[in-house]
Amino acid sequence: MTLSPLAPNITHLSHTHTSELDAVAQAAEWLAGAQSVVALTGAGVSAESGLPTFRGAGGLWRNRRPETLATPEAFAADPKTVWEWYDWRRSVHAGCSPNPGHHALVELERAKSEFCLVSQNVDGLHEQAGSRRILKLHGDLWKVRCLTCGREERDTRVPIDPLPPYCSCGGMLRPAVVWFGESLSEETLRAAFDAASRADLVLVLGTSSIVYPAAKIPRVALERGARVIEINLEPTELSSSAHLSLRGKTGELLPEIVRRALGGAP
């Protein structure tokens, strides 16, 4: 895939008085020189593919908030209704495709021997784009887990029938995602923090930087002396600490930065 030049749209830069174009050039220079790169992605990256954000407008489903459905208690009380919500979410996700931001991360992964993509998203768009070195903090919407035998497997049926689905062992299946009140995988989280502690540069893309422990990942990198570049539509709690904080869409800014970093003409 060839990344085409795009006009950057930056309205805010932290810790710099350079022009907007100079900021993209600076980001590309740092990225080109980095040996170890970590990218942390959030809901904003997927929103550019047409996916509604988890807590954004239109977040209601049958007058229910996600926070009342994505819990172990809700599933135990009414697994069919919870599965109907996830089946609806899967149908929405199935109609979306990766955007240029997803593809730029694939190009970056191919170019850097030490690269780790850490995602808070469960939609599978990174894998669809071609990403392989990825840590999924919140699980995978396209995987199911058996409550009886514990086996996880990929399930891409849309729609799923019947609901709720069952394992070959007879146990009920649940979405293999992290629900409210559940802990993230210690192994996945440890790997993410380890990658951040070794990184020369961390890209923070489309995330509000308020949900922990994910929000701690760039802060760990900062403590170890890494550069942090943020791309987000709005300021976040990380913006004042990032070396560069760029306002705009990941799908517009990141391809330009990656193109320049990998040797494209300015």
Side-chain angles (χ1 to χ4, degrees):
M1 173 190 171
T2 301
L3 298 174
S4 59
L6 292 169
N9 176 23
I10 310 169
T11 59
H12 172 77
L13 307 169
S14 301
H15 305 316
T16 180
H17 298 290
T18 58
S19 71
E20 296 175 356
L21 288 175
D22 285 344
V24 169
Q26 180 66 85
E29 180 183 335
W30 288 346
L31 184 57
Q35 297 296 313
S36 179
V37 177
V38 170
L40 173 65
T41 62
V45 175
S46 295
E48 293 178 35
S49 288
L51 283 178
T53 56
F54 198 70
R55 298 179 179 84
L60 290 176
W61 177 81
R62 296 184 186 176
N63 294 317
R64 299 278 298 272
R65 298 296 307 175
E67 292 86 348
T68 69
L69 292 162
T71 69
E73 294 77 15
F75 191 77
D78 191 354
K80 187 173 187 294
T81 295
V82 173
W83 256 117
E84 286 173 348
W85 178 55
Y86 276 98
D87 199 43
W88 170 78
R89 286 185 64 191
R90 286 159 60 105
S91 71
V92 173
H93 288 45
C96 297
S97 300
N99 62 62
H102 293 104
H103 291 298
L105 288 168
V106 176
E107 293 295 305
L108 192 55
E109 178 181 314
R110 291 171 179 166
K112 297 291 183 179
S113 58
E114 291 186 50
F115 177 85
C116 181
L117 172 57
V118 183
S119 185
Q120 301 170 82
N121 301 331
V122 299
D123 48 59
L125 289 175
H126 284 303
E127 296 94 321
Q128 190 177 337
S131 291
R132 294 296 176 262
R133 284 178 270 171
I134 177 170
L135 297 173
K136 304 174 190 176
L137 294 180
H138 298 157
D140 190 333
L141 192 65
W142 300 103
K143 286 187 177 181
V144 293
R145 181 187 313 131
C146 179
L147 294 175
T148 300
C149 70
R151 186 178 69 169
E152 276 194 15
E153 61 183 8
R154 189 165 175 79
D155 186 335
T156 58
R157 291 177 293 163
V158 177
I160 290 180
D161 186 35
L163 289 177
Y166 285 85
C167 178
S168 57
C169 78
M172 187 183 296
L173 296 171
R174 59 159 283 178
V177 297
V178 179
W179 282 331
F180 291 104
E182 294 182 329
S183 299
L184 275 63
S185 161
E186 289 187 11
E187 180 182 358
T188 302
L189 200 55
R190 188 182 309 114
F193 282 122
D194 184 55
S197 68
R198 299 193 314 269
D200 301 317
L201 185 143
V202 175
L203 298 166
V204 183
L205 310 168
T207 177
S208 61
S209 295
I210 59 174
V211 178
Y212 282 80
K216 189 176 179 181
I217 291 171
R219 291 171 171 82
V220 167
L222 284 169
E223 290 171 1
R224 297 298 181 94
R227 290 190 174 107
V228 171
I229 299 172
E230 176 188 58
I231 301 176
N232 201 55
L233 290 174
E234 304 292 339
T236 75
E237 292 188 6
L238 178 68
S239 299
S240 61
S241 300
H243 293 81
L244 283 175
S245 185
L246 288 69
R247 293 290 162 267
K249 294 181 178 180
T250 297
E252 295 177 357
L253 292 170
L254 186 63
E256 175 68 7
I257 292 169
V258 171
R259 184 186 66 82
R260 293 189 183 202
L262 300 186

